[in-house]
Amino acid sequence: MNGQSPADRFDAIDRRLLNDFQNGFPLSPRPYADMAEALGIGEAEVISRLRNLTDRGAISRVGPVFRPKRVGTSTLAAMAVPPDRLEEVAAVVSGYQEVNHNYEREHDFNLWFVLTGEDERHLSRVMGDISQRTGLTVLDLPMLAEYHIDLGFPLQW
Amino acid sequence: MVMNALQAEIDRDLKDAALIRAIQDGLPLVDRPYAAIGRDIGLDEQQVIARIRRLQADGDIKRFGVVVRHRELGYRANAMVVWDLPDEWVDRLGQNIGRMPFVTLSYRRPRRLPDWPYNLFTMIHGRDRAAVLKQVEQIKRRMGLTDVRCAVLFGGRRFKQRGAHYGVETPPPEAKPGQRLLDFPDRKSASGNHPAPAF
């Protein structure tokens, strides 16, 4: 992973496997054979290359990306934490099982986290609790509309 | 009649839940993956394919294919770019920006004045910071947003990242008594459902 540029680590076939099948994966009985045909290689080679790319950490899976938020509700929250308290406050936030992601960003609002729970009241209670324990304001920024159509991510080599 | 319809819906939901559990960590890398999944959950190959097709048509599956790990592929910089747009523009611009290839998420969220004036949140990935900033400039030029207030929030440390597993709250068959069923195990990366740090 280190030093080498990604272009050096993946040959032309690997790059096409990574790039061309992020969307519209064949829903046919032998999908890897269909991919193989498109790539001009054998089905067994597609399978072994996908396994290899997974082992190397380049692929997380071959499968679905689900729409978020089918069950329960979620929100994005932000806090402006004094830099010398960031780790302490981050640890408080991470301690809640409702928090899936919690990370730093470069801004006055420097701590961002995603909360998931059964309903809005539940999430408000957690945010109120965090606010009370830390003495800091928590911005509640729920999604109002989703605009992006996820067609995968074209890789540039 | 009503009961039958209800029962049919429940059965369908249970089968969908089983299917979602079976595929959420990826298809098996065998020559007939849909048949293999079907064997585990009591469906035949064609039924598995038909259900995945329906989940896609209903929008429950946003995308089906190879889910890459951006970070491991050398995309090391990510920024949440937030925009303060006139309310009447936000839907159209949110869609247009969301179509640009390096933008992986585009959401409208509320302003929280006076602290937070931004109402459109977009996520941009790049190989490095300079690449991300160049892409922000490209958005501004192409969308005519050079005079609009925006902020670029580069991602820093990740304090916690647990995969946002699909919320199917039925115990997996191998669950042992006493095991907590609603907590999904930590995963190495949630890339895909939320590319790199999600927001």
Side-chain angles (χ1 to χ4, degrees):
Chain A
M1 289 288 120
N2 303 315
Q4 253 181 316
S5 92
D8 299 334
R9 291 186 293 115
F10 304 105
D11 69 15
I13 299 281
D14 280 346
R15 289 185 212 174
R16 290 191 61 192
L17 280 170
L18 291 168
N19 205 48
D20 296 357
F21 301 94
Q22 293 186 30
N23 187 40
F25 186 81
L27 288 171
S28 59
R30 301 186 75 148
Y32 305 116
D34 293 345
M35 292 168 73
E37 205 185 322
L39 294 170
I41 58 176
E43 180 184 30
E45 185 177 352
V46 168
I47 289 174
S48 71
R49 279 178 179 265
L50 287 174
R51 190 164 290 140
N52 179 258
L53 289 169
T54 307
D55 292 344
R56 292 161 72 189
I59 288 178
S60 122
R61 64 185 176 280
V62 177
V65 176
F66 291 107
R67 182 180 67 178
K69 222 174 92 158
R70 173 162 152 169
V71 176
T73 188
S74 67
T75 195
L76 176 70
M79 298 172 78
V81 182
D84 61 337
R85 290 188 60 199
L86 187 59
E87 283 182 29
E88 165 221 333
V89 173
V92 169
V93 168
S94 294
Y96 289 86
Q97 68 146 30
E98 288 85 354
V99 173
N100 308 320
H101 302 269
N102 179 26
Y103 45 91
E104 177 184 22
R105 289 202 178 277
E106 296 173 17
H107 191 269
D108 285 347
F109 283 94
N110 53 355
L111 189 65
W112 291 79
F113 47 99
V114 178
L115 292 151
T116 313
E118 58 198 58
D119 54 30
E120 282 165 28
R121 252 187 35 211
H122 175 190
L123 297 185
S124 299
R125 208 165 53 231
V126 174
M127 285 182 277
D129 202 46
I130 291 171
S131 184
Q132 201 186 353
R133 285 175 64 193
T134 60
L136 298 167
T137 304
V138 178
L139 291 188
D140 176 15
L141 301 166
M143 181 173 39
L144 302 178
E146 184 185 12
Y147 302 119
H148 178 63
I149 301 157
D150 189 355
L151 296 175
F153 187 77
L155 300 162
Q156 289 155 356
W157 304 99
Chain B
M1 276 306 271
V2 173
M3 281 309 289
N4 284 345
L6 186 62
Q7 190 58 48
E9 197 172 313
I10 290 169
D11 288 348
R12 179 176 123 152
D13 284 353
L14 286 174
K15 278 292 180 201
D16 277 353
L19 176 62
I20 287 163
R21 264 199 316 275
I23 62 176
Q24 67 182 353
D25 289 323
L27 297 182
L29 295 172
V30 298
D31 57 2
R32 298 183 68 169
Y34 304 113
I37 287 163
R39 272 196 299 280
D40 292 343
I41 60 173
L43 295 172
D44 70 31
E45 185 176 56
Q46 283 307 319
Q47 289 170 323
V48 169
I49 290 173
R51 274 173 192 269
I52 291 175
R53 226 183 270 287
R54 183 171 47 71
L55 288 169
Q56 276 184 312
D58 292 350
D60 293 323
I61 291 177
K62 288 169 59 176
R63 171 161 78 80
F64 196 89
V66 173
V67 180
V68 302
R69 292 195 150 115
H70 298 107
R71 201 171 274 249
E72 283 73 6
L73 291 174
Y75 285 79
R76 295 182 185 284
N78 75 82
M80 188 170 78
V81 184
V82 292
W83 309 82
D84 173 10
L85 297 175
D87 288 338
E88 62 273 22
W89 292 5
V90 69
D91 283 345
R92 187 170 53 82
L93 283 167
Q95 284 162 10
N96 289 344
I97 296 175
R99 278 194 201 103
M100 299 188 79
F102 45 80
V103 175
T104 54
L105 294 169
S106 176
Y107 293 157
R108 182 178 190 169
R109 297 184 184 275
R111 297 187 169 87
R112 298 295 185 204
L113 298 172
D115 300 326
W116 188 259
Y118 305 104
N119 56 351
L120 182 71
F121 290 58
T122 54
M123 188 77 171
I124 296 183
H125 291 264
R127 294 213 175 274
D128 52 39
R129 282 168 175 260
V132 169
L133 291 172
K134 224 167 88 183
Q135 287 162 336
V136 174
E137 288 310 310
Q138 205 179 321
I139 293 176
K140 286 185 181 173
R141 274 201 317 274
R142 182 151 339 156
M143 304 287 161
L145 298 178
T146 41
D147 296 330
V148 159
R149 175 156 56 158
C150 79
V152 180
L153 283 72
F154 279 105
R157 280 174 287 175
R158 283 189 267 188
F159 297 113
K160 182 177 186 181
Q161 180 157 19
R162 185 174 62 198
H165 245 77
Y166 204 53
V168 178
E169 301 188 353
T170 359
E174 68 275 19
K176 312 276 188 306
Q179 186 176 337
R180 294 172 67 189
L181 300 176
L182 299 185
D183 272 358
F184 291 102
D186 283 13
R187 302 168 88 198
K188 258 162 62 186
S189 164
S191 166
N193 277 347
H194 294 282
F199 75 94

